[in-house]
Amino acid sequence: MKLSEYHKKRDFKKTAEPKGKIKKSGDAQHFVVQKHEASHLHFDWRLEIDGVLVSWAVPKGPSADPSVKRLAMHVEDHPMDYIDFEGTIPKGQYGGGTVMVWDTGTYMAEGAESVAESKKMLTKMHQEGNIKVVMQGEKLKGSYHLVRMSGKKEEWLLMKGKDEFATKRNFNQNSVLTGRTLPQIAKDKDSDTWESGKKAATTKSGDKNDILENVTKKKASAPSFTADDVAGAKRRKTFPKDWKPQLATLTDAVFDNEDWLFENKYDGYRALIQINKGKVELTSRNGLSFNKKYAPLVDAFGSIKDDMILDGEIVAEDAKGKSHFQWLQDYEENPDRGKLKCYVFDILYFNGYDLTPLPLLQRKRILEALLPKQESIVYSAHTIGKGKKALEKVAKQGGEGLIAKKADSVYHVNKRSKDWLKIKVTNEQEMVIGGYTEPKGTRSGFGALLLGYYEGDTFIYSGKVGTGFNETSLKELHDALKKLEVKTCPFAEKPKEPGVHWVKPQLVAQIKYSEWTAAGSLRHPVFVALRTDKKAKNVVREKPVSKKKVVAKDTETANSFDTEKVPITNPDKVFWPKEGHTKGDVIAYYNAMAEYVLKYVKDRPQSLRRNPDGIKNEGFFQKDMGGKAPKWATTRKLKSLADGESIEYLICNNKETLMYMANLGCIEINPWSSRIGSINNPDYIIFDLDPNEASIKDLVTTAKKVKEILDKLNIKGYLKTSGGKGLHIFIPVKPKYTYDQTRDFSHLISHTVHSALPDITSLERMPKNRVGKIYLDFLQNGKGKTMACAYSLRPRDRATVSTPLDWSELNGKFDIKKYNIKTVPKRVEEKGDLWEGFFEDAVDLKAVLGQLEKA
C-alpha cells in the first residue's frame, strides 16, 4: 500500500501530523479510533494492515449495539506513526481541527489462530470488502464487521458482532491516552499535539485547580484524571482526623452485574492512611495506630507530599503472593518473614477536598493517578461485571474472597453499607473468647476456646474451637487468658461444658468455619489468629444479606430498605380503587426500581406531590419541608422566585428518602431540572408533547419530527411516556446555561416542529384554542418547574408509569397504556435502562447553535 495520497494532502511544515512511512508489521496488529472535530464531528477507524493504517471515516462513531449499522467512508491510508496522534491540526490544513485518541489497542481477524494467519486474512478481507475482526481495546471489545456496500467503492457499513460484549450502553467520550475531552485538547496552549510522557491530563476547572495541579508527570500509558472527575468534590477548611472506613455487608452468593465492580478481599488489617503536612498516620478501623507496628509502611507512604486520606488493607505475603494473617500479627517479632504491603483501594480526601461524594469509579481513577509506584504500596485493581469468574480465579489462587462494590456509589464514612458486599470463598468471621477448657492427653495450655458474639448487650454462645493452634500460640494465648479469668460465666446462657475456665470477654479471635448449625453454633471451626483491631462489644453474628435484595428488580423486595429508619404506615390502604393497587404496592414498586429512579433525581430539589388518599382526588403539592423532614434526610434552602422567602426542599439521594416520600403518599416523583451546586443551570431540556384529544398517530408523527430535527443537529433525544396521554423527549445538556437559554432553545425547536406540522401541532397555551392538536409545551423549562422523572408512577387510572422508550417502539402497535406498576419492573429486568448513559450525552448548546447559524 502507498501513502502518497496522505502525503499529498498535507503540508508537514504547518501541521504536526507525522509524515511517516510504511512500516514492517510487528508481533501484533494495532488499531486506533480517533475522534475528529473538523468541518464536522466524526470518528476515524484505523486498522493496521500491511504496514499502514487503513482508514474509514465514521460520522456517528462506533456502537456496541449489534442492531446499529454505521456508515463508514473509506479514506486514504495513514502511517503507523499516526496511531498516537492527539492534538490540533491547524486551520487551513486538510482535516483542520481537533483530534483525540478515542480508543486504541490490538486486534485480530475473526477466526485466526495466530497473528501471522490474521495478517494474511486481513489483506484478503480488505480486498474482498468484508472485514471481520476481534477488537481488544479499552472501549472496543469483541467482534466488529466492516462490509463494503454493494455497488459502492468507498461506502462501507460498520457493525458490532453479536457476542458477550454486545450492549446498548454508550461509550465514555474521553481520550484513552490523556483522559481529556475534545474541548480540553483544543484549549491546550502548551503544544499542538500530545506527546507520550509529556504531560498528564490536568486541565484546570474553576476552583479545583489545586487538585489537578498536583498530579505529577506521567507516561502515556499511566492513568490520569480530568477536571470532570473531581467536579463533585467538596472543599474542606480542615483536615478530617476522625474519619473511619466504610464497611461491607456479608452476602450469600456471587453474582454478575455490570453496575458492580469486584476487588480481591485481602486477609489482613484494614487501615486508613492519613497524610497531613508530611506526617503519616496509619490507623485501624477503630482508630488505633499501626505506626509503630508497621513502621516500614509509614516510611513508604512518607514519599507522598500531598495531603490525602487513603483506604486500604495491610497484609504480609509469602514469595507466591499469598497473605498470612498470623505473619502480619507477629510482624514486629519477625519482620523478615514475608513482605509487608498495603493494597490501596480508595481515596477519600486530597489537598483540601472531600472526595467521598464522588462515584467510586471516579475515586479509583484519581487514586490510580496519584498513588506512587512502590513495591509495598499497591493499587487494588478490579474487574467490572463478572463476579463469578473473579471468584473462581480467587479460589484457584487460595484467596479469601471478593468485595463487590457499586460502581457509582459514594463513600459512606464510618458506616456499613450494602453498596459494598463481602463474598467469601470460605466462611470466616470474628468471635469473642468467653472461656476455655482444660487440655487433654499430651496437649499443653488449653483444650478448646469457648466462643460467642453480641446481640446488643447480650453475649451469646456460638460453640467451641480446638483446632488451628500450634505450641507457641497455645502457650501465648493461655498466658493471656489466665490474666482474664473470672468466676462467673459471661454468656447469657451457660454452655454445658465440663471443666471450663471463664474469662472476661475481651479477646477477639478470627475463626474459619463451614456453616452455622440450626442450633446457632459454628460447624467445623478453625482458629486463625487473635485480632487487635476490633473491640469485643462490636462483634456480632454476620448474617448474609441475599444478593437478590441488593440487585434484584422485582417487587418482592419491599423489606430490603431500613424499615426502622423509614417506618411504613397503612400499607394496605387502597390507592387505585378500580385496580385494587395499594399504598404498599407503591412502596414496593419504588423499592424495586430505586436504582433506576435515583439516577434521575439525585441532588435535585423535590416538589412533593402527595396523594395520601390515592387517586380519588387531586392531592396537593408540598415544597417546604423545613421542620417536617426526618433528621437523617438531606434538605436545602432555596429562595422562592415569587416572594424571596426561603423554602427548605427535600433532596432525594438514597433509597430511604425515596421510601419516605412513597410513605407520604408521593405516587409521583417530581424533581427540578437542575442540581444543587448548579441550581441555576439545568442539565436537561424537556419537550412535553400534550395530545389534548389528538390521536396517537399525530402524537407519534410529532415525536418523530422532533427526533428528525435533533438528529440533524447530532443530538440524541431520549424518549419516554408521560405516564398520562402524552410523550416527553429529554435532551441532556451541559449545566452551564440558564433556564432562560434552555427554554429559548426548546422554543426554537418547537417552533421548527410547528412550522413543519402546522395542521396537527400548536404553540397555544390555552387548551380551548388547541383541541385536537399536539401542544408543544416548551414552557416546562423553567426554574422551579417540575416534571415526572423517568420511571415515576403517575396518579392516573391503571397506575401508569412515565417509561423510557426506544424510538423503534413508536410503531403501529404502540400502546401508551401498557406501561404500568406491574409491567415496568419486568420490562426493565428484560431491557435494562433505555436511558443508560443519559448524562454522558450532554450537549453544548453554544456548539449546537453555532451549527444552526451555519445551516
Side-chain angles (χ1 to χ4, degrees):
M1 295 184 179
K2 297 180 180 179
L3 295 173
S4 54
E5 186 68 19
Y6 170 84
H7 291 142
K8 187 167 63 176
K9 291 181 176 181
R10 290 162 176 80
D11 184 347
F12 294 103
K13 293 180 181 179
K14 296 179 179 179
T15 179
E17 295 169 279
K19 191 171 184 180
K21 59 183 179 180
I22 298 174
K23 289 191 174 182
K24 185 178 179 181
S25 297
D27 295 332
Q29 290 175 287
H30 297 84
F31 79 89
V32 65
V33 176
Q34 285 156 319
K35 192 173 181 180
H36 188 179
E37 190 165 39
S39 57
H40 63 282
L41 181 66
H42 64 281
F43 292 74
D44 293 311
W45 179 286
R46 310 190 196 279
L47 302 178
E48 177 187 353
I49 303 177
D50 295 333
V52 298
L53 293 172
V54 179
S55 303
W56 291 261
V58 185
K60 292 189 175 182
S63 171
D65 184 350
S67 67
V68 175
K69 296 179 176 63
R70 299 292 202 216
L71 175 66
M73 298 298 296
H74 205 312
V75 296
E76 76 275 11
D77 299 334
H78 282 51
M80 286 301 301
D81 291 338
Y82 212 92
I83 204 160
D84 61 357
F85 175 76
E86 180 172 290
T88 55
I89 302 172
K91 290 183 179 180
Q93 289 296 297
Y94 179 76
T98 309
V99 178
M100 168 201 291
V101 177
W102 184 83
D103 195 21
T104 189
T106 60
Y107 80 102
M108 286 182 63
E110 205 169 89
E113 295 185 0
S114 67
V115 174
E117 182 184 6
S118 176
K119 291 176 181 178
K120 292 180 181 178
M121 291 173 66
L122 259 299
T123 300
K124 185 178 180 182
M125 286 179 175
H126 183 216
Q127 292 171 349
E128 294 176 349
N130 187 2
I131 296 175
K132 295 182 178 180
V133 294
V134 178
M135 313 293 283
Q136 294 178 327
E138 291 199 28
K139 299 176 184 178
L140 299 174
K141 297 182 185 298
S143 172
Y144 277 86
H145 300 169
L146 268 164
V147 181
R148 187 164 52 222
M149 296 172 66
S150 179
K152 307 290 184 180
K153 183 179 180 182
E154 308 298 350
E155 296 178 24
W156 296 54
L157 288 177
L158 173 65
M159 298 162 283
K160 176 75 180 79
K162 293 182 180 179
D163 57 20
E164 68 270 28
F165 299 106
T167 177
K168 292 184 181 292
R169 289 176 177 268
N170 294 318
F171 293 111
N172 177 285
Q173 293 301 313
N174 290 13
S175 165
V176 296
L177 288 186
T178 65
R180 296 182 295 180
T181 62
L182 275 173
Q184 289 169 347
I185 296 169
K187 289 178 183 177
D188 190 344
K189 305 300 183 185
D190 294 331
S191 69
D192 289 332
T193 61
W194 179 89
E195 299 170 10
S196 297
K198 185 171 184 179
K199 67 181 75 172
T202 57
T203 303
K204 298 177 181 179
S205 176
D207 62 356
K208 300 298 189 291
N209 291 359
D210 48 350
I211 292 184
L212 297 172
E213 67 188 7
N214 287 288
V215 182
T216 54
K217 295 180 180 180
K218 298 177 183 296
K219 296 181 180 179
S221 59
S224 58
F225 65 91
T226 71
D228 292 338
D229 290 323
V230 295
K234 293 182 180 179
R235 186 71 166 158
R236 279 187 62 104
K237 293 181 179 179
T238 59
F239 187 90
K241 296 182 179 180
D242 57 347
W243 282 2
K244 292 182 181 179
Q246 174 174 339
L247 303 178
T249 300
L250 183 66
T251 189
D252 60 356
V254 69
F255 56 93
D256 289 341
N257 190 304
E258 288 299 320
D259 294 330
W260 291 71
L261 61 83
F262 300 87
E263 299 171 340
N264 281 357
K265 184 179 185 301
Y266 303 103
D267 189 12
Y269 280 136
R270 183 76 175 279
L272 284 188
I273 302 95
Q274 300 175 85
I275 306 166
N276 184 19
K277 297 179 180 179
K279 182 180 178 182
V280 178
E281 190 68 45
L282 305 181
T283 58
S284 75
R285 64 186 187 184
N286 285 317
L288 302 175
S289 178
F290 282 142
N291 279 31
K292 182 180 177 182
K293 191 175 184 71
Y294 305 120
L297 288 179
V298 175
D299 293 339
F301 281 108
S303 66
I304 298 175
K305 303 306 177 186
D306 298 294
D307 288 355
M308 61 179 73
I309 298 178
L310 307 173
D311 191 357
E313 186 101 358
I314 299 172
V315 301
E317 292 183 343
D318 61 23
K320 295 182 179 180
K322 182 176 174 57
S323 59
H324 297 268
F325 189 72
Q326 188 70 54
W327 292 8
L328 187 66
Q329 278 197 314
D330 300 338
Y331 181 78
E332 284 183 284
E333 292 74 28
N334 297 283
D336 296 328
R337 186 168 61 174
K339 291 182 179 179
L340 187 66
K341 292 183 179 180
C342 184
Y343 285 88
V344 184
F345 41 74
D346 217 325
I347 181 168
L348 318 187
Y349 174 90
F350 182 75
N351 282 353
Y353 281 88
D354 175 0
L355 306 185
T356 62
L358 302 181
L360 173 61
L361 277 179
Q362 289 186 24
R363 299 198 307 273
K364 293 206 69 174
R365 190 179 297 120
I366 295 167
L367 171 66
E368 190 174 11
L370 293 170
L371 206 62
K373 300 296 185 291
Q374 294 192 31
E375 186 180 12
S376 59
I377 301 176
V378 186
Y379 170 75
S380 178
H382 61 265
T383 184
I384 293 178
K386 300 185 182 301
K388 294 177 182 178
K389 189 174 181 180
L391 190 64
E392 288 176 6
K393 183 178 179 181
V394 167
K396 287 180 181 178
Q397 295 173 342
E400 187 177 351
L402 299 175
I403 300 292
K405 300 179 180 180
K406 287 202 76 172
D408 63 353
S409 63
V410 301
Y411 191 96
H412 302 281
V413 174
N414 197 24
K415 290 182 180 178
R416 190 177 297 278
S417 167
K418 292 177 184 176
D419 287 344
W420 289 13
L421 302 175
K422 289 186 287 188
I423 306 170
K424 295 185 177 181
V425 174
T426 57
N427 293 314
E428 191 171 322
Q429 79 154 82
E430 301 91 355
M431 283 287 149
V432 180
I433 302 171
Y436 65 94
T437 63
E438 287 287 339
K440 294 181 180 180
T442 59
R443 185 161 180 166
S444 62
F446 58 87
L449 301 177
L450 276 63
L451 307 173
Y453 60 91
Y454 280 92
E455 283 187 2
D457 292 328
T458 305
F459 189 40
I460 298 173
Y461 180 62
S462 61
K464 60 182 181 178
V465 59
T467 60
F469 309 101
N470 55 33
E471 284 300 317
T472 301
S473 61
L474 280 169
K475 183 180 185 309
E476 291 177 351
L477 192 50
H478 186 229
D479 290 342
L481 290 169
K482 285 191 295 184
K483 296 175 183 178
L484 297 174
E485 282 197 27
V486 293
K487 294 182 179 181
T488 57
C489 172
F491 297 103
E493 292 187 14
K494 187 176 181 179
K496 295 179 180 179
E497 291 286 341
V500 175
H501 296 259
W502 308 115
V503 299
K504 293 178 182 178
Q506 293 182 0
L507 298 181
V508 178
Q510 190 76 13
I511 305 294
K512 288 184 179 180
Y513 64 99
S514 61
E515 61 181 346
W516 285 89
T517 68
S521 296
L522 297 172
R523 178 168 289 166
H524 307 133
V526 178
F527 176 83
V528 178
L530 283 181
R531 298 198 71 108
T532 58
D533 61 329
K534 191 164 186 176
K535 294 178 181 178
K537 278 282 187 178
N538 293 338
V539 173
V540 298
R541 177 177 172 179
E542 292 184 338
K543 296 179 180 179
V545 58
S546 169
K547 60 99 176 176
K548 291 182 180 179
K549 287 191 176 183
V550 182
V551 300
K553 303 174 181 66
D554 57 28
T555 55
E556 300 297 323
T557 57
N559 293 317
S560 63
F561 60 93
D562 189 343
T563 52
E564 291 186 10
K565 183 182 282 189
V566 190
I568 301 303
T569 58
N570 302 319
D572 297 326
K573 190 171 187 176
V574 176
F575 271 16
W576 283 268
K578 185 177 180 181
E579 293 83 6
H581 300 316
T582 65
K583 177 181 175 181
D585 291 329
V586 173
I587 293 167
Y589 172 84
Y590 281 120
N591 180 59
M593 296 294 293
E595 66 176 292
Y596 302 104
V597 175
L598 289 171
K599 288 191 288 187
Y600 305 109
V601 302
K602 185 178 180 183
D603 294 332
R604 301 176 191 276
Q606 297 290 325
S607 293
L608 274 60
R609 180 179 179 180
R610 297 179 59 182
N611 292 82
D613 295 319
I615 69 167
K616 67 181 182 181
N617 54 44
E618 287 296 313
F620 60 93
F621 276 95
Q622 181 177 349
K623 295 182 181 180
D624 195 348
M625 296 298 291
K628 303 177 183 70
K631 291 182 179 180
W632 53 260
T634 301
T635 59
R636 288 292 185 276
K637 287 185 178 181
L638 299 172
K639 283 190 177 181
S640 167
L641 291 176
D643 54 19
E645 294 295 320
S646 289
I647 295 176
E648 191 167 340
Y649 284 91
L650 183 68
I651 311 296
C652 182
N653 284 353
N654 51 52
K655 180 183 278 192
E656 279 71 28
T657 306
L658 186 61
M659 295 300 101
Y660 167 72
M661 294 169 63
N663 191 58
L664 287 179
C666 295
I667 295 173
E668 184 175 290
I669 309 298
N670 292 281
W672 282 33
S673 301
S674 56
R675 301 175 189 259
I676 298 298
S678 55
I679 200 66
N680 295 313
N681 308 106
D683 56 6
Y684 55 74
I685 295 173
I686 302 166
F687 295 92
D688 182 9
L689 311 184
D690 181 359
N692 193 26
E693 299 182 26
S695 67
I696 286 289
K697 179 181 178 182
D698 287 349
L699 179 65
V700 169
T701 299
T702 304
K704 288 184 175 180
K705 177 56 69 174
V706 176
K707 182 179 187 298
E708 178 186 321
I709 293 168
L710 296 179
D711 284 347
K712 289 180 180 178
L713 296 171
N714 290 320
I715 296 174
K716 183 174 181 179
Y718 284 80
L719 176 69
K720 70 180 178 75
T721 67
S722 67
K725 298 178 180 179
L727 291 171
H728 295 159
I729 300 168
F730 280 38
I731 299 173
V733 295
K734 294 183 177 180
K736 60 181 183 179
Y737 299 98
T738 66
Y739 272 99
D740 287 344
Q741 290 172 315
T742 57
R743 184 173 59 246
D744 289 345
F745 181 82
S746 178
H747 188 188
L748 175 63
I749 300 299
S750 298
H751 182 78
T752 306
V753 173
H754 178 52
S755 298
L757 302 172
D759 296 331
I760 66 171
T761 65
S762 174
L763 295 173
E764 286 280 349
R765 290 194 67 187
M766 296 298 291
K768 66 179 182 180
N769 296 331
R770 50 179 168 84
V771 175
K773 290 189 175 183
I774 308 298
Y775 176 42
L776 305 170
D777 188 1
F778 61 88
L779 295 173
Q780 291 289 355
N781 298 281
K783 186 176 180 180
K785 288 186 175 290
T786 59
M787 177 73 71
C789 70
Y791 302 109
S792 170
L793 284 166
R794 299 297 304 277
R796 305 288 183 92
D797 288 340
R798 302 191 183 187
T800 51
V801 173
S802 187
T803 309
L805 302 174
D806 191 276
W807 283 97
S808 63
E809 293 180 278
L810 291 186
N811 53 38
K813 297 180 180 179
F814 178 63
D815 181 3
I816 208 166
K817 299 176 182 178
K818 70 180 183 180
Y819 307 102
N820 57 56
I821 193 171
K822 292 297 183 183
T823 62
V824 168
K826 293 178 182 177
R827 170 185 167 87
V828 172
E829 187 172 1
E830 295 171 358
K831 294 180 176 289
D833 182 8
L834 295 181
W835 278 25
E836 188 70 40
F838 177 87
F839 295 106
E840 294 175 9
D841 284 334
V843 299
D844 191 321
L845 286 186
K846 185 177 180 181
V848 173
L849 290 171
Q851 293 180 48
L852 287 172
E853 290 173 0
K854 293 178 182 177

